[in-house]
Amino acid sequence: EPEVTQTPSHQVTQMGQEVILRCVPISNHLYFYWYRQILGQKVEFLVSFYNNEISEKSEIFDDQFSVERPDGSNFTLKIRSTKLEDSAMYFCASSVKRGGETQYFGPGTRLLVL
Amino acid sequence: GESVGLHLPTLSVQEGDNSIINCAYSNSASDYFIWYKQESGKGPQFIIDIRSNMDKRQGQRVTVLLNKTVKHLSLQIAATQPGDSAVYFCAESSGNAGKSTFGDGTTLTVKP
C-alpha cells in the first residue's frame, strides 16, 4: 500500500539554525500539507500546497517557514532560524483532492531545538 | 473561529467491551469529518470518515455517528481490543478548505 514517507525521523538542532524536513507524498496525490504536534497537544495545521503554490497557511506559518517541491517527488518544509518553541513532531500529509478527501499522514519528524 | 473538541481526554475500557468516543465541533459549515487513530510515535492514521449528508457510517468494527443538529460526532468501536489502545482525534474540513482541523484527542486504554 502506498504511504507517505518522511526524513529524518529525528532531528536535533541548535536554536537559530536552519532545518529542512523532507517528505515524499503518495505518488498520485496532488495536495500536500504540513502539520505539527507539540508534545501532548493536538495536531495543528501549518500549510497546504498545490500546483507549486501555497494554498493556505495558518498563523503559525510565519516568515521563518517555507515549503518547496523541488522535484516531482519531494516536498520540503524549511525553518530558517529555529526557536525553542519549534520543537514538535512535524507531519506531512497528502491527498488526491483538496477538500473533503482523506489525507494520508507520514510517520513524522521529531524536531528538538536546543 | 472554528474549533473541534472532544468530551473526555481519557477513556478506559475492558477488552471486549464497546467504546464510544465523542467529539463536538463548532463550525456549522463543516461538511467532512474524519476520525484518526494515533499510536505512540506515529502519525495520525485514518479510521473512518463521514460527510455531512449522512448521519451514520460503518466500517470494520467502527461506526461514526454525526448529529448536525447539535454538532456532535462520535466514534464507536465494537469489541475493543488491546491493539485499539491509542489517541483518537476527530477532525473536520469544510468545502474547499483543504486543511483538517483537529480536536484535542482522547486517549483510549484497553484493559485485558
Side-chain angles (χ1 to χ4, degrees), chain B residues 33-105:
Chain B
F33 303 88
I34 317 105
W35 279 101
Y36 290 97
K37 174 186 180 183
Q38 187 178 27
E39 295 173 291
S40 181
K42 296 185 179 179
Q45 177 188 359
F46 171 87
I47 302 173
I48 193 167
D49 58 2
I50 189 167
R51 299 190 187 278
S52 59
N53 61 352
M54 303 171 69
D55 52 22
K56 181 179 180 179
R57 190 158 187 234
Q58 287 185 288
Q60 189 176 23
R61 281 201 307 118
V62 293
T63 300
V64 55
L65 298 177
L66 175 63
N67 185 332
K68 294 182 288 294
T69 303
V70 295
K71 289 187 253 182
H72 183 269
L73 189 71
S74 69
L75 175 70
Q76 300 177 2
I77 306 173
T80 316
Q81 302 168 359
D84 295 327
S85 293
V87 180
Y88 289 81
F89 292 94
C90 63
E92 64 86 16
S93 70
S94 51
N96 288 322
K99 68 178 183 181
S100 289
T101 300
F102 281 74
D104 291 321

Side-chain angles (χ1 to χ4, degrees), chain A residues 33 35 37 41-43 45 56 89 91 98-108 110, chain B residues 4 32 36 38 41-44 46 49 51 89 93 95-100 102-104:
Chain A
Y33 311 85
Y35 292 82
Q37 185 179 31
Q41 298 185 20
K42 62 185 174 183
V43 177
F45 169 77
E56 187 177 4
M89 281 287 283
F91 294 107
R98 185 177 185 185
E101 291 293 333
T102 305
Q103 295 178 13
Y104 293 88
F105 284 75
R110 182 172 295 283
Chain B
V4 182
Y32 179 62
Y36 290 97
Q38 187 178 27
K42 296 185 179 179
F46 171 87
D49 58 2
R51 299 190 187 278
F89 292 94
S93 70
N96 288 322
K99 68 178 183 181
S100 289
F102 281 74
D104 291 321

